[in-house]
Structure formats: C-alpha cells, structure tokens
Amino acid sequence: MIGRLQGLLAEKNPPQVMVDCNGVGYEVDVPMSTFYNLPALGEKVTLLTHFVVREDAQLLYGFGSHEEREAFRQLIKIAGVGPRTALSVLSGMGVADLAQAITLQEAGRLVKVPGIGKKTAERLLLELKGKLGADMGLRASVSTESQADILQALLALGYNDKEAAAALKALPADVGVSEGIKLALKSLAR
C-alpha cells in the first residue's frame, strides 16, 4: 500500500524515525544499517517501505535499499520470524553478510544477533537457502545484462553461487553472453 516515502527527516529515535511528507509525519521503524546512513534532521530523505496491518496496529518499516527491503520480506515469510526479529537481523548484519552466512550455512554468525537462538538460526538458513543466498550479493556486482545472463546460465548448469561469482569476476567486462559462458566454463573446469 505504501511503497516509498519521500520528505524531510523530522525525528531520529533509534530504531524509529519520523518523515514529514508535506505536513504529514510518518513514524517508520528502520534497521540500524539504514539509520546510520540517514541524513541530518531537516534534510530530504527517501525510504522504501513495507506496510504491516495487524488487529492492534498499523506499522511502517523503512529501508535504504531494495536489497534490504527484499531481505526483510523474505525474513518475515518464515514462521516464527516477525517484523521485529527481521529488523533485528538486518540491524545486526548487513544484507551482504546475511547472504554470505546463508550461502555458507554459518549458523554461528546468525546466533550473534540478539533474539536469534540456535534453532531459529538453523531454520533461517534452511528456509532462506536459494532465496537470499550469495545471488543477492551477486546481483549487486553484476553490472551488465550479459553478465546477468552468464550468471543465470552457470547457476542453471548446477554451479553454486560462489563458483559462479568467481568465474564471473574473471571475465572481461565487455564479453558477450555465449563467449562469456564458454570462458567461464573453461575457468571452472581447471
């Protein structure tokens, strides 16, 4: 319903901020990663949002990037993980760190986040595998459409995220899709 807010930053009280949009103040809960990147009070701010309606409340959550909002949405889909826990996870580690922990299946990194126990960490790793793995971080590093196509081809051929990322980094920036796939397969065969 509310996908983005743009206005002046009126208040900052971690983890909540108030964004003044033409005279209407929206209270928005944000992860600390977004909070630290906010401008000074009175300056213009843009936040991507996720709106939650419950019986007893209507809550608005804000994020500084599409990746952060997508990670939040994937986290709250998991049984037993609510918006507060998802914010805590994103406050305790960045999206790239979370994606890496999921790809490498490192429950120890998730347990360090307040409110996440061993069983919850294991459930997060299991349910987010393939949905929020290194491919989330890879998408940010893929700069051209041909690189994205090469990456998808390597993943479809059964290579994992780490192998595909390493092969992609070794390619020239201006390589075509078919030539890029050939070169990537040669580098992976070594």
Side-chain angles (χ1 to χ4, degrees):
M1 181 173 180
I2 300 173
R4 182 175 67 103
L5 287 178
Q6 186 172 359
L8 300 178
L9 190 59
E11 291 180 24
K12 289 167 83 171
N13 297 314
Q16 195 172 72
V17 298
M18 184 179 291
V19 180
D20 183 338
C21 300
N22 296 320
V24 178
Y26 290 92
E27 291 179 345
V28 185
D29 288 350
V30 297
M32 294 312 289
S33 53
T34 296
F35 189 86
Y36 294 135
N37 292 319
L38 289 173
L41 290 177
E43 290 189 28
K44 190 174 181 179
V45 66
T46 300
L47 293 174
L48 298 169
T49 60
H50 182 84
F51 187 53
V52 176
V53 178
R54 298 190 325 218
E55 260 183 48
D56 60 339
Q58 294 183 19
L59 305 166
L60 198 56
Y61 297 94
F63 308 94
S65 69
H66 289 283
E67 292 81 14
E68 211 169 37
R69 181 171 66 176
E70 181 58 30
F72 176 83
R73 288 177 171 171
Q74 291 294 332
L75 285 164
I76 62 173
K77 287 180 184 176
I78 298 170
V81 177
R84 288 272 173 225
T85 304
L87 271 190
S88 181
V89 170
L90 291 174
S91 292
M93 58 190 344
V95 176
D97 292 335
L98 177 61
Q100 186 179 30
I102 291 164
T103 300
L104 301 175
Q105 294 292 292
E106 294 179 335
R109 288 172 72 178
L110 290 171
V111 172
K112 292 178 184 174
V113 175
I116 303 292
K118 187 177 179 188
K119 287 186 178 184
T120 304
E122 289 170 354
R123 190 169 63 242
L124 287 173
L125 292 177
L126 178 67
E127 297 211 23
L128 292 175
K129 189 174 184 178
K131 295 178 186 169
L132 192 71
D135 62 321
M136 190 100 177
L138 285 177
R139 286 188 199 122
S141 69
V142 172
S143 59
T144 65
E145 197 171 311
S146 63
Q147 285 183 331
D149 291 341
I150 295 166
L151 175 65
Q152 289 303 317
L154 294 174
L155 294 174
L157 289 169
Y159 291 99
N160 68 33
D161 297 329
K162 266 178 126 176
E163 295 167 331
L168 199 63
K169 284 181 185 173
L171 296 177
D174 60 344
V175 71
V177 176
S178 61
E179 186 63 25
I181 293 171
K182 288 178 192 172
L183 292 172
L185 289 173
K186 280 182 184 176
S187 71
L188 288 166
R190 290 183 202 152

